[in-house]
Amino acid sequence: MTIYPLPANTPRSFYRGAGRISRFRGIPSAGDPYYPEDWIASTTSRYGAAPAGLTTLPDGRSLTEAIAGDPLWWLGERHVAEHGADPAILVKLLDAGERLPLHVHPDRRFAAAHLASPYGKTEAWVIVSAEPEAAVHLGFARDVEPDELARWVADQRIDQMLDATNRVPVRAGDAIVCPAGLPHAVGAGILMVEVQEPTDFSVLLEWEGFAIDGPANGHLGLGYDQALGCVDSSGLGAERLIELRRARGSASDDRPGVHRLFAEFADEFFAAERLRPDPVSVLEPAYSVVTVTAGDGIITSEQGPPAPVKAGDTLLIPHAAGWCTLRGDTTAVRCKPAQA
């Protein structure tokens, strides 16, 4: 097998979904709203709850074990030279059935110093669907002093925190990068493909009303005095917001049917492309995760037979699949590690 269709992989969370993932995938609903994420091709465990979150391949092997057994086949020589047997990304479907709490992820420097990890958690969002008036909160609109932020968090002054953020309306097709350190919250009514560094590190700035004990579990075991040191509390100007948010991707110069989604500064973390066959989308050899967001089509690899795909499918493509093509009346999002 050179292209792996993956079933849903839904670790339990502390916020609610609205059944969008099961409807998108065309599978029965779990009936429990606290499964709002689908971790696709994951070699990352839920923080403090391993092995929850890890992907099992259709043949019964864990993806982590499969890659460790043949990293060059899965990842390619260039990637292995840079990252070893680590895919270096995590891709998710995320269904915001309610507004997520305001939170922040540490960057690589903070994670290396305090969490024994080479990765922080820069992430990016590709909006699949959004209800009218849906929005995300992205960074503070003004400089916030550390003491002011600490008081807001300790006293759970949620309205003051949210009022200080940039509220960014979103619609289907938008692509937004959220750098590590930036306070953010995903608003209700959104289904997205999320690509990120391969960690589950979050510092909660807000927890009231959610099924989690923030004072005990919201600070990565560091205590809030230290954990809040990962927050970028500087004001985010209009020019920077424009750079983080792209409504439509730019076309590839050398591969038809492929549109780049993020600005160049995201390249050191990951990449994502929107695939719209015209009449074909051409995929170069790379470890990648493909989520079909609309329509149906046919995907073909150099090393395997054609396979039908439809909206809601999630596919894992190893480097060894070689050049691939996507054809049909379909749209997909392809996520790749840095320098893939």
Side-chain angles (χ1 to χ4, degrees):
M1 183 179 292
T2 56
I3 297 178
Y4 291 78
L6 298 177
N9 172 34
T10 54
R12 189 174 178 84
S13 191
F14 64 89
Y15 68 92
R16 295 190 298 270
R20 293 184 185 87
I21 291 174
S22 57
R23 292 194 294 273
F24 174 68
R25 279 188 164 279
I27 60 176
S29 172
D32 183 335
Y34 287 99
Y35 293 89
E37 298 177 0
D38 183 351
W39 293 28
I40 306 167
S42 172
T43 59
T44 302
S45 297
R46 171 69 81 189
Y47 182 79
L54 296 177
T55 287
T56 299
L57 295 172
D59 61 14
R61 292 179 297 166
S62 79
L63 178 59
T64 304
E65 292 171 348
I67 293 175
D70 197 349
L72 291 176
W73 190 89
W74 283 95
L75 303 172
E77 184 175 358
R78 182 181 177 186
H79 184 101
V80 171
E82 179 74 19
H83 301 288
D86 184 346
I89 60 166
L90 173 60
V91 181
K92 300 177 183 176
L93 291 171
L94 188 152
D95 167 22
E98 60 183 330
R99 180 183 60 76
L100 275 63
L102 194 68
H103 63 289
V104 67
H105 308 302
D107 64 14
R108 291 177 177 179
R109 176 187 291 185
F110 189 95
H114 301 289
L115 299 166
S117 172
Y119 300 110
K121 195 183 171 189
T122 288
E123 64 186 36
W125 314 319
V126 183
I127 308 300
V128 176
S129 65
E131 294 179 359
E133 308 302 321
V136 298
H137 297 264
L138 192 62
F140 289 126
R142 62 170 177 84
D143 292 346
V144 174
E145 294 299 321
D147 288 349
E148 182 179 22
L149 177 61
R151 287 195 300 272
W152 284 348
V153 173
D155 298 339
Q156 285 296 274
R157 299 179 186 179
I158 297 164
D159 288 344
Q160 293 180 43
M161 281 195 285
L162 288 176
D163 286 346
T165 65
N166 296 287
R167 184 182 182 277
V168 180
V170 296
R171 61 192 176 100
D174 285 355
I176 301 170
V177 180
C178 181
L182 207 64
H184 60 281
V186 176
I190 296 171
L191 176 66
M192 66 170 65
V193 175
E194 180 180 73
V195 56
Q196 60 177 77
E197 293 183 83
T199 74
D200 192 36
F201 298 147
S202 294
V203 174
L204 297 183
L205 307 182
E206 173 191 359
W207 56 80
E208 283 194 352
F210 294 92
I212 191 168
D213 184 341
N217 301 310
H219 46 70
L220 297 170
L222 301 175
Y224 271 104
D225 287 347
Q226 188 171 74
L228 291 180
C230 79
V231 179
D232 179 357
S233 58
S234 58
L236 196 65
E239 186 173 324
R240 179 61 167 161
L241 276 174
I242 291 171
E243 186 181 22
L244 297 178
R245 181 173 185 256
R246 283 188 173 187
R248 295 290 181 267
S250 57
S252 170
D253 292 332
D254 58 349
R255 288 180 292 127
V258 176
H259 300 259
R260 178 190 178 98
L261 288 174
F262 307 140
E264 286 74 11
F265 70 85
D267 287 352
E268 67 175 296
F269 303 105
F270 41 66
E273 301 161 341
R274 181 171 286 112
L275 309 179
R276 285 184 174 146
D278 185 27
V280 61
S281 294
V282 178
L283 287 59
E284 85 287 3
Y287 178 91
S288 54
V289 176
V290 174
T291 302
V292 183
T293 56
D296 52 61
I298 298 290
I299 192 165
T300 305
S301 75
E302 278 188 289
Q303 307 301 327
V309 296
K310 65 183 187 308
D313 286 349
T314 55
L315 311 170
L316 173 59
I317 304 178
H319 185 277
W323 288 89
C324 299
T325 58
L326 178 66
R327 299 176 184 272
D329 183 13
T330 188
T331 304
V333 174
R334 182 195 189 202
C335 298
K336 304 181 292 184
Q339 299 183 348

